[in-house]
Every structure is written in structure tokens, then in C-alpha cells.
């Protein structure tokens, strides 16, 4: 199993160099999917990385499972 999975917010420069460009998937959709991974036993914890306060608030409004990590670089 994986002990922690983090959703990561990238900078515009990092995003410009990314092969992934799917604006149809929201932050909330991603969090709900990560919660499913916990519920299915694939990981014990989920968290965030490089989120600002607005993004964290968006997660907290819908989260069944609160972030256990806020990794800041």
C-alpha cells in the first residue's frame, strides 16, 4: 500500500511544460477520487502540496476525509 498520496498544484511554467491539459477535472473531483483510494484501502492518508488558502478551503468544504499533509516547497 501507499502511505500518503498528495494532490499537487503546479506553477504556470510547470503547467506549460506538462503533457496533461484536462480542465474538465476539478480540484474537488480529484479530491473525491483520492478519498476513494483511502476507502478502498490503497492508501492510508491523503494530502495536498503547494496549495494556497483558497484551494485548501475548496477541499475542506467538500472533504469527507481532511488532508493529513500540506507539503510546501
Amino acid at each position: 500500500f501507499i502511505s500518503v498520496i498528495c494532490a499537487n498544484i503546479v506553477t504556470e511554467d510547470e503547467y506549460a511544460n506538462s503533457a496533461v491539459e484536462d480542465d474538465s477535472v476539478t480540484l474537488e473531483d480529484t479530491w473525491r477520487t483520492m478519498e476513494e483510494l483511502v476507502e478502498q484501502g490503497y492508501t492510508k492518508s491523503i494530502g495536498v502540496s503547494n496549495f494556497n488558502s483558497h484551494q485548501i478551503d475548496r477541499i475542506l468544504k467538500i472533504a469527507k476525509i481532511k488532508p493529513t499533509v500540506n507539503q510546501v516547497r
Side-chain angles (χ1 to χ4, degrees):
F1 72 89
I2 301 169
S3 61
V4 177
I5 295 176
C6 286
N8 184 38
I9 297 296
V10 296
T11 65
E12 284 189 35
D13 290 338
E14 291 169 327
Y15 186 76
N17 294 324
S18 172
V20 178
E21 295 183 25
D22 187 353
D23 293 334
S24 68
V25 178
T26 67
L27 181 60
E28 292 81 359
D29 293 334
T30 301
W31 191 258
R32 286 184 187 107
T33 300
M34 292 172 61
E35 288 177 325
E36 288 176 17
L37 295 174
V38 174
E39 292 165 356
Q40 295 171 7
Y42 288 105
T43 187
K44 289 188 175 195
S45 302
I46 51 179
V48 296
S49 177
N50 301 317
F51 276 37
N52 62 37
S53 61
H54 174 70
Q55 293 159 328
I56 293 171
D57 287 341
R58 284 176 58 189
I59 293 294
L60 294 176
K61 285 180 184 176
I62 60 97
K64 293 186 287 184
I65 302 170
K66 304 295 186 206
T68 58
V69 174
N70 181 13
Q71 177 183 354
V72 180
R73 56 173 149 148

